[in-house]
Amino acid sequence: MKAPSSSSSGGSLTERDAKTHGFAAEFRDAVTFRAFGLVLGGLLVQLAFVVSYVGAFHSPTPHGIPVAVAAPQQVSAKIVAQLNALDGDPVEATAASSAAVARSWVLTRKTDAAFLFDATGTKDTLLVASAGGPSVSQTATQIAQKIETAQKRQIDVTDIRPPNAGDGRGMTSFYLVLGWVIGGYLTATIMGMAAGSRPANRHRTLIRLGVLVLYAAVSGIAGAVIVGPVFDALGGHFWTLSAIGTLVVLASAATALALQTLLGLLGTGVVILLFVVLGNPSSGGVYPAPLLPSFWSAIGQALPPGAGTTLVRNTVYFSGHATTQALWVLGAYAVGGAVLAWGASWRHELRHADADVEGSTGAAASEPAPEPSSTG
């Protein structure tokens, strides 16, 4: 019998199927529970992005800005007490033994400002380092001017470490680290999408980690070229910035690979939540920690964007002071991410092996036993 032709007058099977089922069937087929979950997840990430950025930046308020106080011993304790008793606790004052010590505290990032009291006149001095965050320096200046005006004294503000001429408002460190972090987790995500979001075995994970190490090194050098020879924003630290960039990218990429290996598509959402939604506004790039609400101030230096920004900024402008914590944080993300990714892939490998054993056992049990041969 001749099979009916798909080009007969009745039209193709696909066309007849579409006419039979109509829009409702197509809608049910297109809008699956998984598709709905992905759209809902996108909406939640979008709302979290808005809430996090607006929550962090909508009303910057000083709290606990570290300030050194250099004054004669007979008035030093009184000035420190007055500063620490200000409404809202905008500053955290500490007595320094001399003006030189107070200045060194600013340059080693023990404090953000130093107040030098002149016991012989009515004009005091405020030392700031705007390279560590112009907004904090400006806020400290405003607080000092208000206090001095109330005391009928004057204040002379001296910026002992301003940003480089090519660094504008000192934001280059933040933008550089932002690019490194985004590049790291995007590359890990692309590698996962190219051949499935979950590596099939440990060998594939090791290969991906090796590729990510090479990518991180190239990315670190490229970033140092851009902020150094190209724009002269953070010049004079080329190889140090290259090494920092390698570490930042690897921390981001290894963590992304680990979460995506462990959680699949959900892992990508967790990466965006950690690095973009929470990490960027809390990093201290726009507003340093003393101006952020307590939640963002607390988490900033525990995430790669914040740790990376501090590491770059303090390396370039403050001779590498106060960078130990940032190095430990980034190293933990890089090493921990690599170990977790390898362990998660091993776990998937064992699960697949168990599934294959169960499948082969079930198939063997379902086969009929061979009939005994007749000896006729």
Side-chain angles (χ1 to χ4, degrees):
M1 179 181 294
K2 184 178 181 181
S5 172
S6 62
S7 60
S8 60
S9 59
S12 68
L13 293 176
T14 303
E15 292 174 348
R16 290 201 305 271
D17 184 69
K19 292 177 181 179
T20 302
H21 293 288
F23 178 80
E26 291 293 335
F27 180 84
R28 287 192 299 270
D29 183 64
V31 185
T32 62
F33 181 77
R34 183 174 184 273
F36 174 78
L38 291 174
V39 172
L40 178 60
L43 175 62
L44 293 177
V45 170
Q46 171 190 314
L47 295 178
F49 182 93
V50 175
V51 169
S52 184
Y53 277 73
V54 174
F57 298 152
H58 78 289
S59 181
T61 304
H63 56 88
I65 298 176
V67 176
V69 175
Q73 188 174 4
Q74 60 269 25
V75 296
S76 177
K78 180 180 178 181
I79 295 174
V80 169
Q82 288 176 340
L83 291 175
N84 288 333
L86 293 173
D87 292 339
D89 299 323
V91 301
E92 182 180 345
T94 305
S97 58
S98 66
V101 171
R103 179 188 178 92
S104 70
W105 285 1
V106 176
L107 294 177
T108 57
R109 307 317 294 147
K110 183 175 180 179
T111 63
D112 286 322
F115 178 76
L116 312 181
F117 180 77
D118 184 4
T120 63
T122 60
K123 190 173 185 179
D124 304 315
T125 301
L126 182 71
L127 304 180
V128 297
S130 61
S135 54
V136 171
S137 298
Q138 293 169 0
T139 303
T141 300
Q142 293 169 359
I143 294 173
Q145 289 173 341
K146 184 178 179 180
I147 295 174
E148 293 288 89
T149 300
Q151 298 291 329
K152 301 202 182 325
R153 298 178 66 88
Q154 294 178 318
I155 190 76
D156 181 25
V157 180
T158 303
D159 192 348
I160 59 176
R161 190 56 53 84
N164 295 335
D167 192 11
R169 290 182 54 80
M171 296 287 288
T172 301
S173 300
F174 168 65
Y175 291 128
L176 174 62
V177 171
L178 178 62
W180 278 335
V181 169
I182 292 176
Y185 76 72
L186 277 183
T187 301
T189 301
I190 291 170
M191 291 178 64
M193 293 173 60
S197 60
R198 298 186 179 184
N201 53 53
R202 289 165 288 169
H203 294 162
R204 186 177 299 181
T205 298
L206 291 176
I207 292 171
R208 290 182 180 180
L209 286 171
V211 172
L212 289 176
V213 170
L214 294 176
Y215 171 83
V218 172
S219 182
I221 293 173
V225 168
I226 292 172
V227 300
V230 175
F231 291 109
D232 195 26
L234 302 177
H237 302 80
F238 180 81
W239 289 112
T240 303
L241 288 179
S242 297
I244 292 173
T246 301
L247 180 59
V248 171
V249 175
L250 190 58
S252 173
T255 303
L257 179 62
L259 291 173
Q260 290 160 357
T261 303
L262 189 64
L263 304 175
L265 186 59
L266 179 61
T268 302
V270 175
V271 170
I272 295 174
L273 178 66
L274 286 176
F275 294 165
V276 180
V277 175
L278 296 176
N280 287 348
S282 66
S283 66
V286 179
Y287 292 121
L291 300 183
L292 293 173
S294 57
F295 172 75
W296 287 268
S297 176
I299 68 172
Q301 296 305 305
L303 297 172
T309 299
T310 296
L311 184 55
V312 171
R313 181 179 283 164
N314 288 4
T315 296
V316 173
Y317 290 115
F318 301 102
S319 303
H321 289 289
T323 57
T324 302
Q325 178 184 342
L327 284 168
W328 276 107
V329 168
L330 292 171
Y333 276 93
V335 175
V339 172
L340 181 59
W342 188 85
S345 63
W346 189 9
R347 181 185 177 204
H348 291 312
E349 189 177 340
L350 292 176
R351 283 186 173 182
H352 288 312
D354 291 341
D356 292 341
V357 170
E358 291 178 0
S360 61
T361 303
S366 62
E367 292 180 359
E371 295 182 0
S373 59
S374 60
T375 57

